[in-house]
Amino acid sequence: MRSIGVLLVAQVIPYLEQELDKRYKLFRAYDQPQTAQVLSQHASSIRAVVGNSNAGADAELIEALPKLEIVSSFSVGVDRIDLDRCKEKGIRVTNTPDVLTDEVADLAIGLMLALLRRICECDRYVRSGKWKKGDYKLTTKFSGKTVGIIGLGRIGQAIAKRAEGFNCPICYYSRTQKRDSNYKYYPSVVELASNCDILVVACPLTEETHHIINREVINALGPKGYLINIGRGKHVDEAELVPALLEGRLGGAGLDVFENEPTVPEELFGLENVVLLPHVGSGTIETRTAMADLVLGNLDAHFLGNPLLTPLV
């Protein structure tokens, strides 16, 4: 398979890049100038694209690759891939579900604890020497808080299971009510936000879920409510979130993702009721390696004529 052209459109862990380079004829294109140069010379020889949550295969790239057969995403989210165009052209699409579920759910609980117990702020308090001048202020209990989850898929269910270990009542919103779930269902995000202490975004990013966290939802969550986002940055309308936090209309936020990564609203940097992470939901050695193996396994299966491991299209 060394002669098969594979286009890598995003920076990935060294292990995955090295394995791709070892098994295929690898082309790298991480920005527009690189992409234009690679396409001008090798478009007709590229049969696969590998991307991630930040870069995939849009309609323009798909049209520019006449021999494209498969797009393999090094992430569970595929909002950077034009799925409709892939379906039209018979291009297969894979992602990396399941292997990152536990990691992202663990981080969601970590954000809740860090936010309500002010763990990051306490750490800075000790490091700055302020503890010598007096104890840190009292924080907020996590156990027993009602957790509302937007999207009760694999990750949403894993978060719910973990939160139950802290005696947290669970409620949720999804496009349809889950008949096999005993959790309380609310038919709208506003109703969910009005009836929970902590609101967690764990749904896929689609046209319908873009800015699903808007001013109305934020106001429903209120000054004693907390927002956790481990989904996608564009789930949250940051133009509404930032003033709500600054004005005290929202109790706090734990954010692993942002609208314009890696750019983060600077107004958030000085707030102690905010925990900010650099999109590390699946960012452990074990999970990223398992994700890489899925990407490689899907590509190998496709080009060997075997069933795909995690097919989407």
Side-chain angles (χ1 to χ4, degrees):
M1 295 189 290
R2 285 282 301 154
S3 63
I4 296 173
V6 173
L7 178 62
L8 181 60
V9 297
Q11 292 184 332
V12 294
I13 61 172
Y15 165 68
L16 177 54
E17 185 173 356
Q18 290 163 9
E19 286 298 314
L20 288 171
D21 203 23
K22 189 185 303 180
R23 304 181 192 197
Y24 301 97
K25 187 176 182 179
L26 186 63
F27 302 100
R28 300 166 178 83
Y30 303 145
D31 55 36
Q32 185 55 40
Q34 280 185 319
T35 302
Q37 182 178 358
V38 170
L39 293 181
S40 67
Q41 299 174 11
H42 306 288
S44 62
S45 64
I46 293 172
R47 297 169 60 189
V49 168
V50 174
N52 63 9
S53 59
N54 296 317
D58 58 16
E60 184 179 358
L61 181 60
I62 292 169
E63 291 299 327
L65 298 172
K67 301 291 181 63
L68 183 61
E69 301 172 22
I70 183 171
V71 179
S72 189
S73 181
F74 182 60
S75 71
V76 68
V78 291
D79 47 282
R80 299 289 185 174
I81 301 172
D82 192 324
L83 296 179
D84 290 335
R85 191 60 59 93
C86 287
K87 290 176 183 176
E88 290 173 10
K89 290 184 165 289
I91 297 167
R92 309 175 89 180
V93 178
T94 67
N95 64 343
T96 59
D98 297 321
V99 294
L100 52 68
T101 298
D102 286 338
E103 218 67 81
V104 176
D106 288 351
L107 191 77
I109 297 297
L111 277 170
M112 295 179 209
L113 286 166
L115 183 60
L116 273 68
R117 296 305 310 273
R118 300 289 176 88
I119 292 174
C120 300
E121 185 66 19
C122 286
D123 176 83
R124 291 191 289 269
Y125 192 82
V126 174
R127 291 172 187 269
S128 67
K130 292 180 180 178
W131 192 18
K132 296 176 181 178
K133 301 177 182 178
D135 291 340
Y136 188 74
K137 63 187 178 184
L138 299 179
T139 59
T140 301
K141 183 179 180 179
F142 169 53
S143 294
K145 291 288 189 293
T146 298
V147 175
I149 301 172
I150 302 175
L152 203 65
R154 296 182 185 91
I155 294 174
Q157 290 182 46
I159 293 169
K161 182 178 179 181
R162 285 158 172 74
E164 284 185 299
F166 290 86
N167 296 317
C168 294
I170 307 298
C171 49
Y172 74 99
Y173 163 81
S174 61
R175 288 177 298 175
T176 56
Q177 186 172 357
K178 308 293 183 182
R179 299 300 176 186
D180 58 347
S181 173
N182 294 321
Y183 302 137
K184 172 69 176 177
Y185 172 74
Y186 288 100
S188 75
V189 178
V190 172
E191 289 180 75
L192 179 66
S194 299
N195 289 280
C196 69
D197 302 301
I198 303 169
L199 184 62
V200 184
V201 184
C203 57
L205 179 62
T206 65
E207 290 183 7
E208 291 75 22
T209 62
H210 180 268
H211 283 183
I212 195 168
I213 305 300
N214 54 28
R215 185 182 183 88
E216 187 179 9
V217 171
I218 291 170
N219 287 341
L221 193 53
K224 293 185 179 180
Y226 300 88
L227 175 69
I228 303 293
N229 189 8
I230 46 81
R232 288 287 182 266
K234 293 185 184 298
H235 281 132
V236 178
D237 185 347
E238 286 182 359
E240 293 292 345
L241 175 66
V242 172
L245 288 165
L246 290 171
E247 296 163 13
R249 289 187 287 110
L250 180 64
L255 310 170
D256 183 45
V257 288
F258 303 89
E259 275 204 84
N260 301 296
E261 298 176 5
T263 301
V264 177
E266 293 186 5
E267 299 94 324
L268 299 179
F269 294 165
L271 298 179
E272 63 180 51
N273 61 335
V274 176
V275 177
L276 309 172
L277 301 182
H279 200 155
V280 292
S282 63
T284 66
I285 295 170
E286 297 89 344
T287 293
R288 291 286 170 87
T289 301
M291 291 167 62
D293 286 336
L294 264 184
V295 171
L296 296 166
N298 277 309
L299 290 176
D300 289 351
H302 171 74
F303 290 117
L304 291 172
N306 297 325
L308 296 177
L309 303 180
T310 54
L312 271 178
V313 177

